[in-house]
Amino acid sequence: MTTDPSPRWAGMVVAKQANFYQVRLEGATPATLLCTRRSRLKKLGQRVMVGDRVQIEDPDFTDAQGVICEILPRRTCLDRPPIANADQILLVFAIAQPSLDPWQLSRFLIQAEATGIATQICLNKCDLVPTTEQQHWQARLQAWGYDPLVLSVEHQIGLDQLATQLADRVTLFAGPSGVGKSSLIRTLIPDVEVRVAEVSGKLQRGRHTTRHVELFELTTGGLLADSPGFNKPDLVCAAQQLAGYFPEIRDRLAANPCHFNNCIHHNEPHCGVRGEWERYEHYLKFLEEAIAAETVRHQQPDSEARVKVKIKTDGQRTYEPRLESKKYRRTSRRHRHQTLKDWETELNREDLPPT
């Protein structure tokens, strides 16, 4: 006789703190449960992330608690910030206070393009600059291959257009600190509690106010994921792949392919990318960084060389760290026995009468 499996409920992880997860259930009351995860998931190396669609096993609706027993397949997955199933990345930058840095924006765009998720630029604080400067940045970014949204949270400009862009999607907010991400979320979701800080007057940089990733529900049906702000994201990509993260390069290669398949668009002859376009200088700088990072990685010793394998009598393999310096290694038993024999031989020779 078989027993029926425990009832399961589907939900989405909307927040994570320590080893606890806030899961929003689909069609249940209460709508949100405080959950842990099965130890089996940890043993299998399955990481529960914000944005994951999960199965809750036998939830306790009285105490609003449950246990995550299964992670459903993901559409997308990011490690930094850790979020699953995001539909688009919204890069929020300020035109002023702090001033818009093209190099910083370009670096963020490369990291966003490397995720393979659709990217949208949002320029905040447009009320602080004249219309001519707004139009200048719009035309400049369109030449980069992006159509930015221009808005002002303080004066409620452009919010309707932004709400349409966010409807029915899971959107990750990203960008440097102090550009108004938290203020924008507070405007779109008045009930949410987020910390807001002013820009440092000395450094013209924002102070970090978001500490962890969390999903906030919009009235349009979409979800926002606010991520901790940072001023200079790491450029982690292969040198050969870097060109694919520039829309301008993709357009140029489609119209005029390079003569060599492995062209990195630096000094190669008959290159279809080199030319007078604004971000070519950015590309060369990032290419130099990517090549330097690859050189450092190749110079580092193989991780497997620092690990030794031991096979037990039952055939099970165990891995132990390999000591890097010989002076810390324990002398083998064979070597100790051989040394004792040498000592005994030498002593016996000393006891013999002289010839």
Side-chain angles (χ1 to χ4, degrees):
M1 180 178 180
T2 59
T3 58
D4 294 334
S6 300
R8 294 186 176 186
W9 291 75
M12 175 180 286
V13 179
V14 295
K16 174 187 176 182
Q17 291 185 353
N19 294 324
F20 296 93
Y21 309 89
Q22 292 284 348
V23 179
R24 190 187 67 177
L25 298 182
E26 299 175 359
T29 303
T32 304
L33 299 182
L34 181 63
C35 300
T36 58
R37 64 171 176 175
R38 289 290 183 203
S39 58
R40 175 177 56 86
L41 298 179
K42 183 177 181 180
K43 292 178 181 179
L44 295 175
Q46 295 186 8
R47 177 187 180 190
V48 181
M49 305 173 66
V50 172
D52 268 329
R53 296 187 67 252
V54 296
Q55 292 282 345
I56 306 299
E57 187 176 31
D58 198 14
D60 184 354
F61 293 105
T62 303
D63 296 331
Q65 297 180 359
V67 178
I68 298 174
C69 62
E70 184 181 354
I71 303 173
L72 300 179
R74 296 164 175 160
R75 301 192 310 274
T76 59
C77 180
L78 300 179
D79 289 329
R80 185 179 178 188
I83 182 174
N85 299 317
D87 296 312
Q88 63 180 346
I89 297 176
L90 186 70
L91 291 181
V92 183
F93 273 72
I95 295 184
Q97 297 185 11
S99 57
L100 183 53
D101 181 3
W103 283 88
Q104 185 186 47
L105 175 57
S106 190
R107 184 179 290 271
F108 270 87
L109 285 170
I110 295 305
Q111 291 303 94
E113 290 279 355
T115 65
I117 302 175
T119 302
Q120 175 69 51
I121 301 176
C122 175
L123 300 181
N124 191 20
K125 303 182 182 181
C126 68
D127 58 290
L128 300 179
V129 298
T131 305
T132 53
E133 186 170 350
Q134 298 177 28
Q135 296 173 347
H136 163 75
W137 275 110
Q138 284 182 295
R140 189 172 178 180
L141 295 181
Q142 285 172 356
W144 291 13
Y146 302 93
D147 189 13
L149 300 174
V150 180
L151 56 88
S152 170
V153 175
E154 184 175 354
H155 292 270
Q156 304 290 303
I157 300 174
L159 296 182
D160 292 338
Q161 186 180 2
L162 176 61
T164 303
Q165 181 71 27
L166 302 178
D168 300 323
R169 299 178 184 177
V170 178
T171 304
L172 172 64
F173 271 29
S177 302
V179 298
K181 297 193 306 294
S182 297
S183 299
L184 181 56
I185 291 177
R186 191 175 58 181
T187 301
L188 296 172
I189 315 169
D191 296 335
V192 73
E193 293 292 336
V194 291
R195 297 178 59 191
V196 179
E198 295 181 355
V199 175
S200 169
K202 183 178 180 180
L203 300 176
Q204 280 298 298
R205 292 181 179 177
R207 299 183 178 92
H208 301 270
T209 58
T210 304
R211 302 300 179 187
H212 61 276
V213 181
E214 184 174 354
L215 288 177
F216 303 106
E217 187 173 2
L218 294 168
T219 56
T220 55
L223 292 168
L224 293 183
D226 190 17
S227 63
F230 43 91
N231 292 290
K232 186 178 179 181
D234 296 331
L235 190 67
V236 182
C237 64
Q240 199 67 37
Q241 298 174 344
L242 179 63
Y245 304 145
F246 284 79
E248 309 98 300
I249 294 182
R250 296 197 297 262
D251 293 342
R252 279 169 168 76
L253 290 179
N256 184 23
C258 295
H259 183 74
F260 300 101
N261 293 331
N262 60 347
C263 181
I264 60 173
H265 321 299
H266 187 203
N267 290 321
E268 296 85 351
H270 308 291
C271 176
V273 170
R274 286 184 301 165
E276 298 296 329
W277 52 282
E278 180 181 0
R279 285 210 299 168
Y280 184 57
E281 183 182 2
H282 297 189
Y283 170 75
L284 294 179
K285 175 63 176 177
F286 297 156
L287 179 65
E288 180 182 348
E289 292 183 27
I291 293 175
E294 287 183 356
T295 303
V296 172
R297 286 196 297 268
H298 291 160
Q299 291 175 350
Q300 292 177 349
D302 188 3
S303 59
E304 295 182 357
R306 299 194 295 268
V307 177
K308 60 181 179 180
V309 182
K310 285 189 174 182
I311 302 178
K312 296 183 178 180
T313 56
D314 58 356
Q316 183 179 2
R317 294 189 177 188
T318 59
Y319 298 88
E320 296 182 1
R322 188 185 301 274
L323 298 178
E324 297 181 0
S325 178
K326 291 184 177 180
K327 68 179 181 179
Y328 294 113
R329 294 180 180 175
R330 185 171 58 185
T331 306
S332 68
R333 185 178 301 174
R334 178 181 298 177
H335 180 75
R336 292 199 302 270
H337 288 175
Q338 184 64 42
T339 303
L340 288 174
K341 290 180 180 180
D342 293 342
W343 287 348
E344 291 175 357
T345 304
E346 188 67 28
L347 289 174
N348 292 335
R349 286 177 181 176
E350 292 178 357
D351 291 341
L352 293 174
T355 58

